[in-house]
Amino acid sequence: MMRIRILAFVALWRCVLFVQAFSSTAGGSKSSATSSASTTCIAASAPASSAVTSKPPSPASTHRVKPIPYISTTSTIEHSRALSQYIRSGDRVLELGTQLDACTETIREAIGVDGYGVFVDLKRTETTSGRSGQGSRDSGMFQNSGGENAKYIELEQFVHYRSVLDDNVDSPFDVLVLDVTAILGNDLELTALSVIFEFVDDMTRRGKQRPRAVIVKSKTIASLSRRLVHAQRLFDGTVARDFKSPSRDGRPYIIAGVGVEEYRRTIPHVLQDSDECLEVGCFSGTTTKLVHDASTYCIGVDIGPKIIKRAQAEHPEIYFAVGDAWRSLDMLRIKRNAAAVRESTSPVSTDAVLSGYDVIYADIGGLSGPDGLLESLSLIDGLSYALEPRCIVIKSLCMRRLASSLRAYSDIWERSQK
């Protein structure tokens, strides 16, 4: 019996080796066929109870998943218009930071009798002046008009909003409505985005449906929506922006691309001859050289001394320095040192150093993939406030995905009026 088992095992092993050898020499459709043959051979040798059946490809693997729109508004009028446009009859809607005002009524009218709304706010306390912190909230709204399709919840702390998601585990929400200042007390961009990501992830993990839209009232997120650009939309002309002039709110434009090709294709769309540029995460300096040739100069910075030594050897006409992109003020010191090398016969102007950079290119390890979104936004904010660039180009899949979802309602409304 033992000998029979050994012979069976040897025969099976030869079968596997034969299939692997054939796979390595065949190509195209032959490769697929040998892979199938290998699976058949192994399955036939295994007991019936352990036979593996291949699953059909999931819908997500056969077509591109459409991004969930994150619609940003800045005013009550914009917010009300967006609610009317994106919420449908029968929808289940979660509103965080409800004001129990006209916008709440807009949601209730939009969902109709077949929909359901959960309206969440923090408990309001009496102020020292004796006036209530409720403002214009009509706390009796649901009692006065019937609350069969609505529920109002007051939380002790904002973090408890997760309990609302848990209570509705069997009936996911179609739309999230978020008033950032109302629920958080300030327009906290990163916190608001983390809430949105957690909501979308929670709804998606349940496997029943993806939320159809997120509507967020936030000036900081609306600003980011107008400034953040998907690189492909830049190339195909879908986005009409003059990246060679400052944005209307003075914050830098952000162009997010994936891969070296997209990263470098932005150069003619962004740079002017008079620009002073910086690349953080320059590696061997290839992109730094391209940016340098299209501008007044470009300084290359990377955290690795050996990398910088190699880049300097390959491109001696460019200034390279060891530096950490997260220490944004160091980038000004590097600019001062570079200016001292270029202008060795004259003193370096303080104003010239403090003027920062016109364009920054960023290719940072850990941020170029699907993770690290909040870290990417944090880095961009640090570079923006310290160096005041006109434009930042970042090689980052997570930032490009965010660009696919974020939409300023002001832009949507303007297009609809043309």
Side-chain angles (χ1 to χ4, degrees), residues 33-104:
T34 55
S35 176
S36 175
S38 175
T39 303
T40 304
C41 178
I42 295 172
S45 304
S49 59
S50 63
V52 179
T53 56
S54 59
K55 295 182 180 180
S58 63
S61 64
T62 57
H63 68 278
R64 182 176 177 271
V65 178
K66 189 175 181 180
I68 298 169
Y70 304 157
I71 311 300
S72 59
T73 65
T74 58
S75 66
T76 301
I77 294 176
E78 271 192 3
H79 201 55
S80 182
R81 287 172 177 168
L83 296 173
S84 299
Q85 181 172 341
Y86 285 93
I87 297 177
R88 303 172 185 170
S89 177
D91 275 348
R92 289 181 58 86
V93 178
L94 171 62
E95 183 184 25
L96 298 178
T98 181
Q99 299 292 285
L100 299 180
D101 57 6
C103 288
T104 306

Side-chain angles (χ1 to χ4, degrees), residues 18 66 184 191 196 242 319 341 384 392-393 399:
F18 172 78
K66 189 175 181 180
L184 297 176
T191 302
I196 293 172
D242 181 8
Y319 188 85
V341 171
S384 299
I392 296 175
V393 180
M399 286 296 297

Side-chain angles (χ1 to χ4, degrees), residues 248-271:
R248 64 186 184 185
D249 65 359
R251 300 294 307 283
Y253 288 112
I254 305 162
I255 301 175
V258 175
V260 174
E261 182 184 357
E262 275 192 7
Y263 185 60
R264 294 171 181 169
R265 279 184 66 191
T266 61
I267 291 175
H269 298 271
V270 171
L271 294 179

Side-chain angles (χ1 to χ4, degrees), residues 272-337:
Q272 305 178 93
D273 293 342
S274 59
D275 283 341
E276 300 176 351
C277 305
L278 169 72
E279 185 184 23
V280 290
C282 65
F283 195 59
S284 61
T286 303
T287 302
T288 309
K289 176 68 164 64
L290 295 173
V291 175
H292 181 84
D293 291 344
S295 61
T296 298
Y297 66 79
C298 182
I299 297 172
V301 174
D302 205 293
I303 201 168
K306 291 183 179 179
I307 292 174
I308 289 300
K309 186 176 181 180
R310 172 185 168 186
Q312 193 68 76
E314 293 184 8
H315 309 285
E317 74 281 13
I318 299 175
Y319 188 85
F320 291 93
V322 176
D324 187 343
W326 301 94
R327 302 181 64 174
S328 49
L329 286 178
D330 282 354
M331 303 302 109
L332 292 179
R333 299 187 185 97
I334 289 172
K335 181 180 180 181
R336 178 195 61 196
N337 296 340

Side-chain angles (χ1 to χ4, degrees), residues 173-194:
F173 295 102
D174 300 289
V175 179
L176 169 66
V177 179
L178 175 61
D179 189 328
V180 177
T181 302
I183 196 73
L184 297 176
N186 207 334
D187 198 352
L188 306 179
E189 175 188 39
L190 297 184
T191 302
L193 286 172
S194 66

